[in-house]
Amino acid sequence: MFKLDGKKVLITGACGGIGSAMTKAFHDSGATVLLTGTNKERLEEIQNELGDTRTHAFTADLSNPSETKQIIDKAVKQLGQLDILICNAGVTKDTLSIRMTEEDFDWVTNINLKSTFILNRDAIKHMMRNKAGRIINIASIVAFTGNPGQANYCASKAGVVGMSKALAKEIASRGITINCIAPGFIETAMTAKLTDEQKDQMKAFIPSKRLGAPLDVAYAALYLASNEAQYVTGSTLHVNGGMFMN
């Protein structure tokens, strides 16, 4: 597996299934990890599971722009430097577009897209001084396929992909790469609420005939964060079992 000894990593949305899997994978690869999320108890639980000085955490609410703007500086102060940023936090508020309020649209896009821009921008400023860095933004399969009832979520994740390409072009000459991962249907707390029948219906559209595991996404992130991926930037790595091929 890719080695990240000595690297300092900030992971947002670390409380969920994908976030916690990435945290453990990066920690196992030798990195020092800093977790953020809104669930203090879950952050502490993950810290206790890993149980050493290479794990740090603080709560952060990405719905609050003023709080979001403090995250990178706070991370650099706590870690000493920032080598890798993973923007994994995201929310949904699903309903058909004819029922969707502007407030519903703004809430999802502000957290999923605007906060990702703020974190990317502020991380780039720090990474430019070191002439090195990796930024990984978590998008979604629906950014490419669309999904009924998720106009706000699809727009936010498609925006993340387009924004990442623009930023990648701006700073590629500085030794900084920016890429996206677009997960398909992954086994998380959200999919655990589905019935077996609903899961079977989902699997019918997946050539691999199974839902993905959080570690499938985590391993993709490890690659993009590694030295081996130094010539990969502005790309989206699809992790969906063949459900969408690009």
Side-chain angles (χ1 to χ4, degrees), residues 69 72 85 115-128 135 167:
K69 292 174 184 177
I72 297 300
L85 167 66
S115 72
T116 300
F117 167 73
I118 293 171
L119 292 168
N120 277 225
R121 178 197 65 194
D122 294 352
I124 287 168
K125 291 177 182 178
H126 172 74
M127 292 174 176
M128 284 176 66
I135 296 176
L167 296 179

Side-chain angles (χ1 to χ4, degrees), residues 16-219:
I18 292 175
S20 60
M22 288 194 292
T23 297
K24 293 170 186 175
F26 274 75
H27 181 271
D28 290 347
S29 294
T32 297
V33 292
L34 173 57
L35 328 176
T36 68
T38 56
N39 188 330
K40 183 179 180 181
E41 290 74 20
R42 177 58 181 150
L43 292 175
E44 292 175 348
E45 183 181 331
I46 297 171
Q47 274 190 285
N48 292 333
E49 288 174 5
L50 298 178
D52 65 21
T53 57
R54 288 191 293 111
T55 311
H56 309 273
F58 62 78
T59 57
D61 181 4
L62 297 183
S63 68
N64 183 340
S66 63
E67 188 170 337
T68 303
K69 292 174 184 177
Q70 298 177 27
I71 290 176
I72 297 300
D73 284 345
K74 192 172 180 179
V76 171
K77 183 176 181 180
Q78 191 158 350
L79 296 174
Q81 66 184 57
L82 181 62
D83 302 299
I84 302 161
L85 167 66
I86 304 178
C87 291
N88 173 64
V91 296
T92 60
K93 198 162 189 180
D94 300 346
T95 189
L96 293 176
S97 59
I98 58 173
R99 299 191 186 102
M100 187 177 293
T101 65
E102 293 176 24
E103 289 76 17
D104 292 341
F105 190 91
D106 289 345
W107 186 70
V108 170
T109 54
N110 281 340
I111 294 176
N112 294 359
L113 178 56
K114 185 176 180 179
S115 72
T116 300
F117 167 73
I118 293 171
L119 292 168
N120 277 225
R121 178 197 65 194
D122 294 352
I124 287 168
K125 291 177 182 178
H126 172 74
M127 292 174 176
M128 284 176 66
R129 292 194 287 270
N130 297 328
K131 298 182 179 180
R134 299 282 186 271
I135 296 176
I136 302 166
N137 296 321
I138 306 301
S140 170
I141 187 174
V142 302
F144 300 87
T145 64
N147 202 35
Q150 288 195 312
N152 48 5
Y153 185 75
C154 294
S156 68
K157 292 301 186 178
V160 165
V161 173
M163 178 191 73
S164 298
K165 292 178 180 180
L167 296 179
K169 286 191 173 183
E170 290 179 5
I171 47 80
S173 64
R174 305 299 184 98
I176 302 167
T177 67
I178 301 180
N179 293 288
C180 291
I181 298 174
F185 291 132
I186 307 297
E187 288 272 17
T188 62
M190 186 179 297
T191 55
K193 298 176 183 177
L194 300 175
T195 65
D196 288 340
E197 182 180 358
Q198 288 172 319
K199 289 182 180 180
D200 288 341
Q201 290 174 348
M202 294 167 67
K203 292 174 187 177
F205 293 97
I206 305 172
S208 297
K209 299 304 178 186
R210 70 173 179 89
L211 302 185
L215 276 175
D216 291 324
V217 181
Y219 292 147

